[in-house]
């Protein structure tokens, strides 16, 4: 077997991920960023202490809405029950009502091609909140499919105007190896059956209890002394590190034009 070469970023050159533009002037694609408005608005930006959320925020590429519009659902099942009004009376570009049942649909403007054996997970932007509407998810065999996918959001409340701004993220994509989940062998075990895991958990539980007992204000702050950082630093509660692959940030390559 021939070893693949890996560049300084850790990227495998054999895993090319291509977006074929179906026409000029399609929606922009950007790497998913760290920040979310609602997280920034928490007191002292407290939500950014959650490393699992930060990694999820950056786990893919975002397709951005191309032009501002307001959509509304009357509550009916027909396609006419969803209206899309672009600013300035423009004709609908990529967002429209195609399926009925309160579903708003974007044609994304690209045909994606993943490496052989990889699907494309299509979903809403991670940890991104939108009132009265919910993104739907799909998994596409993008290593062979010759038809582009659509991105769909379903209204959750009728007669509520929902605003989408220009360059607002409406879709998040990332490749996943096909049939990978089927290779896992789920098991249920008692914690007591694994002394190492049990002891590490109990150490964490004791330390967390002592930490919480010192928190009396009820107001989260960013003081270093008021923040346990074990998971952030990739160590157990006793300070021991058992993995060398702990990740605190994702750095994805952007889509760039060939030539």
């Amino acid at each position: 077997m021939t070893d693949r070469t890996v560049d300084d970023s850790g990227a495998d050159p054999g895993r090319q991920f291509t977006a074929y533009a179906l026409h000029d002037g399609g929606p922009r694609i950007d790497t998913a960023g760290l920040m979310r408005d609602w997280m920034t608005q928490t007191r002292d930006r407290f939500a950014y202490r959650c490393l699992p959320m930060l990694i999820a925020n950056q786990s893919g590429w975002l397709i951005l809405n191309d032009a501002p519009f307001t959509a509304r659902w009357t509550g009916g099942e027909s396609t006419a029950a969803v209206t899309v009004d672009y600013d300035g009376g423009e004709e609908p570009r990529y967002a429209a009502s195609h399926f009925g049942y309160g579903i708003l649909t974007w044609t994304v403007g690209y045909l994606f091609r993943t490496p052989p054996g990889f699907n494309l997970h299509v979903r809403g932007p991670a940890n991104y909140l939108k009132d009265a509407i919910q993104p739907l998810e799909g998994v596409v065999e993008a290593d062979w499919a010759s038809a582009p996918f659509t991105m769909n959001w379903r209204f959750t409340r009728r007669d509520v105007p929902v605003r989408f701004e220009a360059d607002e993220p409406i879709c998040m994509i990332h490749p996943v190896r096909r049939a990978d989940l089927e290779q896992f062998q789920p098991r249920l075990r008692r914690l007591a059956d694994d002394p190492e895991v049990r002891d590490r958990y109990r150490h964490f539980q004791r330390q967390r209890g002592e930490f919480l007992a010192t928190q009396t204000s009820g107001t989260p702050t960013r003081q270093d002394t008021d923040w346990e950082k074990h998971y952030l630093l990739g160590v157990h509660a006793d300070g021991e590190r058992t993995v060398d692959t702990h990740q605190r940030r994702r750095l994805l390559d952007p889509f760039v034009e060939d030539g």
Side-chain angles (χ1 to χ4, degrees):
M1 179 179 294
T2 303
D3 291 336
R4 290 190 183 277
T5 58
V6 177
D7 64 22
D8 293 339
S9 69
D12 182 344
R15 291 195 178 179
Q16 190 172 71
F17 181 27
T18 304
Y20 292 98
L22 301 180
H23 39 69
D24 293 336
R28 288 200 306 116
I29 308 175
D30 200 2
T31 53
L34 186 76
M35 314 292 280
R36 297 292 184 270
D37 286 345
W38 72 268
M39 296 176 71
T40 302
Q41 291 165 9
T42 56
R43 184 181 179 90
D44 296 319
R45 309 206 317 174
F46 185 76
Y48 288 110
R49 297 181 181 184
C50 182
L51 182 59
M53 280 204 301
L54 299 185
I55 293 295
N57 287 356
Q58 303 167 81
S59 294
W61 291 263
L62 299 175
I63 300 175
L64 308 181
N65 184 47
D66 72 315
F69 67 86
T70 300
R72 187 190 297 264
W73 176 50
T74 65
E77 296 182 353
S78 71
T79 57
V82 172
T83 57
V84 179
D85 296 314
Y86 277 86
D87 289 10
E90 295 182 54
E91 289 296 318
R93 299 187 183 184
Y94 297 100
S97 177
H98 287 299
F99 300 115
Y101 300 97
I103 297 174
L104 176 64
T105 298
W106 276 265
T107 54
V108 298
Y110 297 92
L111 176 63
F112 290 91
R113 184 64 77 235
T114 51
F118 280 83
N119 294 335
L120 192 62
H121 192 164
V122 179
R123 60 193 180 102
N127 298 314
Y128 186 80
L129 308 181
K130 197 81 173 171
D131 186 36
I133 198 167
Q134 171 73 31
L136 305 180
E137 299 193 21
V139 177
V140 180
E141 293 187 2
D143 57 344
W144 67 266
S146 56
F149 63 82
T150 60
M151 179 60 196
N152 300 284
W153 293 55
R154 191 181 190 281
F155 286 87
T156 57
R157 288 192 289 150
R158 64 184 64 193
D159 295 322
V160 176
V162 175
R163 180 75 176 170
F164 284 92
E165 300 294 347
D167 290 332
E168 181 175 348
I170 54 94
C171 181
M172 191 171 190
I173 55 175
H174 66 272
V176 291
R177 192 183 294 276
R178 184 151 59 246
D180 202 26
L181 287 179
E182 290 86 339
Q183 304 306 310
F184 288 90
Q185 300 177 9
R187 296 290 184 270
L188 284 173
R189 298 183 63 188
R190 296 170 62 249
L191 184 62
D193 292 339
D194 192 321
E196 181 181 358
V197 175
R198 176 202 63 200
D199 292 347
R200 289 197 183 280
Y201 169 73
R202 288 179 177 174
H203 188 104
F204 155 78
Q205 191 177 40
R206 285 194 302 272
Q207 191 168 65
R208 174 55 61 89
E210 294 168 0
F211 169 76
L212 293 177
T214 67
Q215 306 302 296
T216 58
S217 68
T219 302
T221 70
R222 285 189 68 97
Q223 297 294 324
D224 287 344
T225 55
D226 293 336
W227 182 11
E228 293 178 300
K229 297 182 179 180
H230 301 127
Y231 185 82
L232 176 70
L233 298 176
V235 298
H236 295 285
D238 60 5
E240 182 180 355
R241 183 185 302 275
T242 56
V243 298
D244 296 323
T245 55
H246 177 62
Q247 193 171 26
R248 294 174 60 177
R249 197 174 187 92
R250 285 191 184 276
L251 296 173
L252 305 185
D253 286 336
F255 281 86
V256 295
E257 289 192 36
D258 283 344

